[in-house]
Amino acid sequence: MAAALAPDTGSASDAALVSDTAPGPLLGIPRQRGGRKAGAHAAETGIHFAEAGTHAAEAGPDAPDAAVRPSPSRPWQPLRLLPTPVGTPFTFGFAVVLAVTSLFAEYADPGLVSKLLHGSSTDVVHLTQAPLPVLIASALWIAGGMTSGYAVAFLFVLTALERRIGARGAAAVFFGGHVLATLATELPVAFSVAAGGLPESSLHRLDYGISFGVMTCIGALAGLLPAWPGRLLLAVVGYLALTDLLAYADPLTDWGHLLSLALGVASWPLLRRWRTRRAAPAPLLGDLGHPALRGARTY
């Protein structure tokens, strides 16, 4: 009986261990074990982490805060430079389409290929008759085939861009640059022909390819890369485009390349906000009064 009534010497330390390791009360649920002090401590802790999440979201993806960069940097993976069906679905799918059309242009009947290319040309006549179909069709061919410089740049540039801003963002940049640069180069041709400065044969100018979209993506990617690589990429590509323009072999297309590059640079503020929004942590569920949830959309 004496042994049964002896005090348990390890009960105090065990209770302390349990109190240190056991999870605290849940936020927003009253009358839990632990009393008011534990509930107040849990509420203060939750608000503290919510405020940390808010500051991390406002700082953006380039901030050194652990809330934004919780995991250590991964080793360099060369395969990430190429498109994949899961990681970069837009670039991968578009690359497959371009490969098919390039093989068709290489091995199909030359007369049929010439007919399709002229039908896909974004000249003034086609833009007047069917602007939307011809703008889409002209971007499905590669001028020069799969071995051209723009085909190689398409793979690496759009892969890098899509990994940063997503499939919808990459598609918007590519087709936005393709459409705007095409209209900006073809509309002056129409006005010049109407004013008598160019012959009417200029209305049927053969114009197709992905170069305008690729140049726009290069300009956009330069603003999302770190400072030195981005500026170096922009300087090298700008120098090559300016050299082609000074050679005066195809001035209208060369002007379109410089304009496309400038359109990509002009999209930097929008793309940076887009990237920051994608990298921000998801809002917490529960107490809508937390700072991390202020301004969040509810459904």
Side-chain angles (χ1 to χ4, degrees), residues 8 49 66 79 97 124 130 135 143 158-159 189 205 212 225 249 252-253 256-257 260-261 280 289 295 298:
D8 189 359
F49 283 109
L79 293 180
V97 173
V124 176
L135 283 170
L158 264 78
T159 298
V189 173
R205 175 177 173 272
F212 288 172
L225 293 175
L252 194 61
T253 300
H257 290 160
S260 302
L261 192 65
T298 56

Side-chain angles (χ1 to χ4, degrees), residues 16-155:
L17 180 61
V18 171
S19 63
D20 291 339
T21 59
L26 300 177
L27 298 178
I29 302 179
R31 297 181 182 178
Q32 301 180 63
R33 295 181 180 179
R36 297 181 178 179
K37 293 183 178 180
H41 175 71
E44 293 177 357
T45 304
I47 294 175
H48 171 72
F49 283 109
E51 292 177 350
T54 304
H55 296 324
E58 294 175 352
D62 297 330
D65 199 324
V68 181
R69 302 293 184 188
S71 59
S73 59
R74 294 180 296 180
W76 183 62
Q77 300 176 0
L79 293 180
R80 287 180 59 85
L81 298 176
L82 296 176
T84 59
V86 178
T88 55
F90 168 72
T91 305
F92 183 85
F94 202 0
V96 171
V97 173
L98 292 175
V100 171
T101 57
S102 298
L103 291 174
F104 179 84
E106 182 71 21
Y107 297 105
D109 179 67
L112 177 61
V113 172
S114 177
K115 182 179 180 180
L116 290 176
L117 291 179
H118 281 83
S120 303
S121 175
T122 51
D123 52 42
V124 176
V125 174
H126 286 123
L127 287 175
T128 304
Q129 297 174 351
L132 184 59
V134 77
L135 283 170
I136 296 175
S138 63
L140 303 181
W141 305 89
I142 303 177
M146 292 186 293
T147 59
S148 68
Y150 287 105
V152 177
F154 174 88
L155 286 179

